[in-house]
Each structure stands twice: as structure tokens, then as C-alpha cells.
Amino acid sequence: MSTDYSFMIDDLLVWYDANARELPWRNQSNPYYTWVSEIMLQQTRVEAVKGYFARFIHALPTIEHLAKASPDQLLKLWEGLGYYNRVRNMQKAAITVVEQYNGELPKDYHALLSLSGIGTYTAGAIASIAYQIPVPAVDGNVLRVTKRLTGSYDDIMLPKIKKELETDMLKIMPATRSGDLNQAIMDLGATVCIPNGKPLCSQCPLSHNCKAFQENLTDVLPVKSSKKSRRLEDKTVFLFSCNGEYALHQRMEKGLLAGLWEFPNVNEKLTLEKLEQLLEEHGVSRYELELLGPGKHIFSHVEWHMIGYRITLEEKNIDLFDELVWASKELIREQYALPTAFKTYTEQL
Ligand code: SF4
């Protein structure tokens, strides 16, 4: 069913003129900055993204630089943001942009959409914000605000609901200021019509037109079906150290955290007794052991529940894991991209 959202445009733009957030990637008319920031902002808070954005743009100031970056540099720049396929896809897209578009993101919504890792939201954001093309950029913020405004019980997790909203929003995009309208809804969703806890309706420019506010439904809208429950995985993480260096292992090229570095680990929680037995079976006899305690990391589909051990060795001759590399604490911080999942143990280097 189609809904006309044109009633919100004027109020939103007036509100945006007075309340737009100042963000380092805004008002610079640089499509590359819009692209990088929008990809980083998926799943990460604005405040956290600011530092990552500055570091990334400093190291890779243009699309050509991104296209040529080494995999290690890319992963290191993305370290801590998670969802590492995003930056790999960005590089694939950057290579296409250099080869086919002379290093400039195309000024066409469908051409943007054809690039690796760019979906309807990102294509809409780049097209409207950087090129003023009148297309929407529908994300969780837009879904939440519009469903509250209209008092709709649509489940915002369903792809067809997002598609319907994209169609409705496309019809009302103004010929000018489409980028401002998209950013106005993003900002309203991030600062006023907030997702968890009570929205700040008394500060909202749309409250006189909002069903959720008028009918006291802000606690129940939007409807969001819960995701499938996550798989739980136990792990034992080893901080092997020898003469000031630590053992690292590179993850496989495919799957979760593909290609990133990790501390050697096994998929079970080993008791001290079992660990000593394992070390003995692999001929490791001279070492000191320290229990490092529990760690937990939640991915979208899986949860890791970890315990860690520091194992200080006299020699590096352990055959418990294949292809270990050894690096000092400083080198690990500078060069090796270790995912946040291991943060509990990285902090104990
Ligand atoms: Fe959201 Fe409240 Fe504004 Fe309605 S009035 S759009 S619920 S902040």
C-alpha cells in the first residue's frame, strides 16, 4: 500500500537548516568522502566513525589510492570497525571506478548500485548528497521515523517493507535539496526519533503530524521482528610469548574475519589440566602459564565465549598450530589487523 510522505518535507528541511549535525564528511562536496563515511556508519556510531574516517582519508585520500592499497593496509585501517568485507568490497568498487569511470564515482544512481558493496541505501546517499540526484536513502532511521509518523505496524525487518518505502520516498524527493532531505531524516532519527528508549517528541518538528506521538505508541513502534538466535562457540585463546614477541596466525581467506590476524586458538574451552596435557603431547615442556580470564564477542550470527592463557615459552618451537608468525607488541599494533573480537587479549599484550 502506498503512503504519501510529502507532508513532512517542509518541516524537516526547516529543522535541518537549524539543527544539522556538523560532521567531518559533510559540506565538502566530495562523493568519495560520502561513500567512505556511509559505509563506516553502517553498524557504527557517528562518534566512533569520526576517528576512523580521518585516519582512512589521510592514508587513502582518493579513490585511486584506495584501489591501490595493500590488503594489510586496508584491514589495518578498518581494524575495530568489523564487517571487513565492506572494505574489501570498497576496494573492488574503487578498482572498477578507476578502470571504468576515470577515478570518479559515477553520477548515476543505477551505475552506483552496480558497484561492489553499494546497495540501495549507499547509492541513494551518494547520489543525493554528493550529486543532488533526487533519490531516497532508506535505512533503519528512515524506516523508524516514517513508521512512527504514520502509526504503521509494518515489520521493518522485512525487505518488502523497505522496498515499499523506497518507492514511496522516491515519489516525494524534491528536485532540489534531496540530499538535505535524506540527511534531515538521518539526523532526526539519530538525535530525536531515537531507536532505543523514548524518542524526544517534544523537540520533534513533526510531532503535530505524528500518529505514534499522538496515540502514545512510541514504545511499540516500529515493529521489528527478532533475528534468529545466534550460534554459541567456545574458544580457548593462546597468548604465546617468547623473548618479547607474540605468536599470531592468519585466518583463512574465506568466512568470518577472513584474512585477518588472530591469536592462535582452539574451538573449545580448555581446563588448565587439559591445556597442560595438550602442551605435553606437542612436546612443550618449559613454559610459564597464566590464566587470562574470560572474553566474549558478539557477531551478527555467532557469539564467541572465550577463555585465554598466557603461555611464556623458552623457545618458539611449538607445532601446535601451522604457520605462526612472531611479532613484538609494537609491530602488532602498527601492522597486523587484529579484530575487536580479541580485544580482551590484545589489551593484555
Ligand atoms: Fe519520532 Fe516522536 Fe517525532 Fe513522532 S513525534 S517522529 S515519534 S520523535
Side-chain angles (χ1 to χ4, degrees):
M1 200 182 68
S2 162
T3 307
D4 181 1
Y5 292 101
S6 55
F7 65 88
M8 66 181 179
I9 297 175
D10 292 344
D11 287 335
L12 268 174
L13 289 174
V14 170
W15 177 84
Y16 184 70
D17 287 339
N19 295 282
R21 289 176 293 174
E22 288 205 6
L23 301 172
W25 46 86
R26 277 194 178 164
N27 303 323
Q28 307 220 29
S29 258
N30 187 325
Y32 176 51
Y33 290 3
T34 308
W35 179 30
V36 173
S37 61
E38 288 301 340
I39 299 289
M40 286 184 172
L41 284 166
Q42 293 166 21
Q43 313 280 346
T44 308
R45 288 175 308 106
V46 165
E47 282 313 308
V49 164
K50 286 179 181 171
Y52 279 101
F53 177 80
R55 209 158 53 107
F56 195 93
I57 294 297
H58 180 73
L60 307 173
T62 66
I63 293 178
E64 283 86 352
H65 288 92
L66 171 57
K68 284 186 200 148
S70 73
D72 282 346
Q73 184 185 19
L74 272 192
L75 294 178
K76 191 69 193 164
L77 286 167
W78 211 259
E79 184 184 53
L81 278 171
Y83 301 93
Y84 291 84
N85 271 342
R86 287 189 189 152
V87 72
R88 290 195 181 94
N89 282 331
M90 277 181 79
Q91 187 173 47
K92 276 191 213 157
I95 293 168
T96 308
V97 169
V98 169
E99 287 172 355
Q100 296 181 19
Y101 299 100
N102 209 18
E104 275 191 36
L105 282 163
K107 286 185 185 160
D108 177 274
Y109 174 77
H110 293 285
L112 287 165
L113 205 50
S114 72
L115 295 170
S116 185
I118 295 192
T120 53
Y121 170 77
T122 311
I126 298 169
S128 65
I129 297 169
Y131 295 135
Q132 290 77 49
I133 298 171
V135 286
V138 172
D139 68 349
N141 282 321
V142 187
L143 281 157
R144 181 172 62 259
V145 172
T146 51
K147 296 305 163 193
R148 281 176 171 166
L149 279 174
T150 53
S152 166
Y153 283 79
D154 286 344
D155 180 351
I156 63 168
M157 296 303 281
L158 298 178
K160 81 171 185 124
I161 297 302
K162 183 179 172 195
K163 234 177 163 36
E164 277 173 19
L165 184 57
E166 285 172 337
T167 306
D168 288 344
M169 293 297 291
L170 181 62
K171 290 181 196 153
I172 65 152
M173 292 312 287
T176 57
R177 302 201 69 188
S178 55
D180 283 354
L181 180 62
N182 284 331
Q183 290 179 102
I185 311 179
M186 290 173 199
D187 283 14
L188 190 83
T191 61
V192 178
C193 195
I194 47 180
N196 302 312
K198 283 238 172 262
L200 312 175
C201 301
S202 62
Q203 298 171 28
C204 179
L206 304 174
S207 59
H208 61 287
N209 260 326
C210 178
K211 279 226 166 72
F213 172 60
Q214 288 156 5
E215 296 173 15
N216 208 13
L217 297 171
T218 54
D219 283 349
V220 289
L221 296 180
V223 173
K224 201 173 171 184
S225 58
S226 54
K227 290 186 188 165
K228 276 204 288 181
S229 58
R230 296 186 195 94
R231 191 176 75 247
L232 304 187
E233 276 183 14
D234 284 339
K235 279 190 181 296
T236 301
V237 176
F238 304 107
L239 250 68
F240 286 115
S241 74
C242 184
N243 296 329
E245 293 189 318
Y246 294 84
L248 295 178
H249 174 260
Q250 191 164 27
R251 291 179 66 83
M252 303 215 291
E253 280 305 314
K254 288 219 174 321
L256 186 69
L257 305 175
L260 274 94
W261 292 88
E262 64 181 359
F263 298 116
N265 58 79
V266 292
N267 284 338
E268 65 176 305
K269 277 188 181 167
L270 294 175
T271 60
L272 196 57
E273 194 184 1
K274 264 190 147 183
L275 172 62
E276 284 173 340
Q277 194 184 332
L278 185 71
L279 291 171
E280 193 183 327
E281 280 166 15
H282 287 268
V284 186
S285 55
R286 297 157 77 91
Y287 58 85
E288 280 176 27
L289 253 184
E290 181 193 346
L291 179 63
L292 295 175
K296 180 175 168 182
H297 190 77
I298 298 175
F299 299 94
S300 51
H301 302 296
V302 63
E303 266 182 53
W304 282 359
H305 292 245
M306 300 168 274
I307 54 163
Y309 292 98
R310 186 193 304 280
I311 303 168
T312 309
L313 302 165
E314 286 193 1
E315 294 174 10
K316 293 175 183 168
N317 60 344
I318 36 168
D319 66 355
L320 198 50
F321 296 93
D322 292 336
E323 297 177 25
L324 294 181
V325 301
W326 293 83
S328 67
K329 193 160 57 174
E330 294 71 28
L331 202 61
I332 291 173
R333 295 213 167 108
E334 277 164 30
Q335 281 188 18
Y336 291 89
L338 272 153
T340 313
F342 293 100
K343 190 167 172 243
T344 306
Y345 306 108
T346 314
E347 284 171 350
Q348 302 192 51
L349 283 178

